[in-house]
């Protein structure tokens, strides 16, 4: 299972082939269907990732993940190992995307005003930066055992000022559940 190119080894090149096949929408190879459900999905990719990474020390599987959209950057953080993320975006013609370079594989396909992306084994929370307006239509996050529930921040949080408010320069973090303008007095 997983040896898509038939070279006798399961490698990242096999994962790239599967990612491209999923993004093209017209792909089926029995070797890629590692869970035998008749469909090629990010769960199959994560299964093949586990074959490649077997023996490597990694954290426990994520049981939850949080998506954060800050300006033009989308980040997803988990409480453990995230094997793959598949996301579908809708957008206008002025949209462009720059996927993370800090992943095993990251690729996308745009058709009209819709972009589907897949990021395999992200090593950082940042998934992509974009220019132009977009909305996230669907997001699938998978660990080694299945899909992980995804949430978005639903409240405003304001961190304490640091290093302290009496220095010439002070910083603080503000998280909001949606993009907008904020005035702090």
């Amino acid at each position: 299972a997983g040896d898509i190119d038939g070279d006798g080894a399961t490698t990242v090149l096999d994962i790239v082939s599967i990612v491209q096949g999923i993004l093209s929408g017209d792909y089926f190879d029995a070797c890629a269907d590692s869970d035998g459900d008749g469909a090629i999905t990010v769960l199959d990719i994560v299964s093949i990732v586990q074959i490649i990474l077997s023996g490597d020390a990694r954290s426990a599987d994520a049981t939850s993940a949080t998506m954060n959209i800050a300006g033009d950057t989308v980040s997803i953080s988990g409480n453990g190992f995230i094997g793959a993320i598949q996301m579908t975006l809708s957008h206008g013609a002025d949209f462009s995307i720059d996927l993370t370079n800090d992943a095993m594989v990251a690729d996308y396909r745009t058709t009209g005003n819709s972009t589907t992306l897949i990021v395999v084994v992200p090593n950082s929370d940042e998934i992509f930066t974009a220019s132009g307006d977009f909305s996230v239509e669907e997001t699938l996050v998978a660990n080694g055992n299945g899909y992980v529930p995804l949430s978005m921040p639903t409240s405003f949080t304001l961190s304490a000022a640091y290093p302290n408010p009496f220095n010439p320069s002070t910083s603080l973090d503000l998280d909001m559940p949606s993009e907008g303008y904020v005035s702090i007095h």
Side-chain angles (χ1 to χ4, degrees):
D3 183 16
I4 307 309
D5 58 13
D7 67 355
T10 303
T11 67
V12 71
L13 295 176
D14 298 306
I15 291 173
V16 170
S17 293
I18 297 170
V19 167
Q20 290 173 350
I22 290 172
L23 293 175
S24 72
D26 61 356
Y27 178 79
F28 187 83
D29 182 322
C31 291
D33 185 16
S34 61
D35 60 10
D37 67 355
I40 309 298
T41 66
V42 292
L43 294 178
D44 296 305
I45 293 171
V46 174
S47 175
I48 294 168
V49 164
Q50 290 185 323
I51 292 169
I52 294 170
L53 297 180
S54 66
D56 288 353
R58 64 172 170 89
S59 62
D61 284 339
T63 57
S64 66
T66 303
M67 179 166 51
N68 202 351
I69 302 173
D72 60 354
T73 302
V74 174
S75 301
I76 295 181
S77 59
N79 63 351
F81 173 74
I82 293 176
I85 297 164
Q86 181 174 335
M87 190 177 296
T88 302
L89 312 171
S90 62
H91 50 76
D94 64 339
F95 177 80
S96 68
I97 189 168
D98 184 26
L99 292 178
T100 181
N101 290 326
D102 196 10
M104 182 180 281
V105 177
D107 201 359
Y108 71 95
R109 174 95 20 113
T110 299
T111 305
N113 290 337
S114 179
T115 295
T116 300
L117 64 95
I118 297 175
V119 177
V120 180
V121 189
N123 289 320
S124 68
D125 292 347
E126 184 177 309
I127 304 304
F128 69 86
T129 56
S131 63
D133 293 334
F134 67 91
S135 60
V136 178
E137 300 299 325
E138 180 182 38
T139 305
L140 302 172
V141 177
N143 64 18
N145 293 311
Y147 292 114
V148 176
L150 180 68
S151 63
M152 290 188 67
T154 57
S155 63
F156 296 94
T157 58
L158 183 63
S159 72
Y162 59 91
N164 76 47
F166 303 106
N167 282 343
S169 174
T170 300
S171 299
L172 53 93
D173 294 318
L174 171 68
D175 290 318
M176 301 180 355
S178 61
E179 189 173 320
Y181 292 98
V182 175
S183 177
I184 300 176
H185 299 278

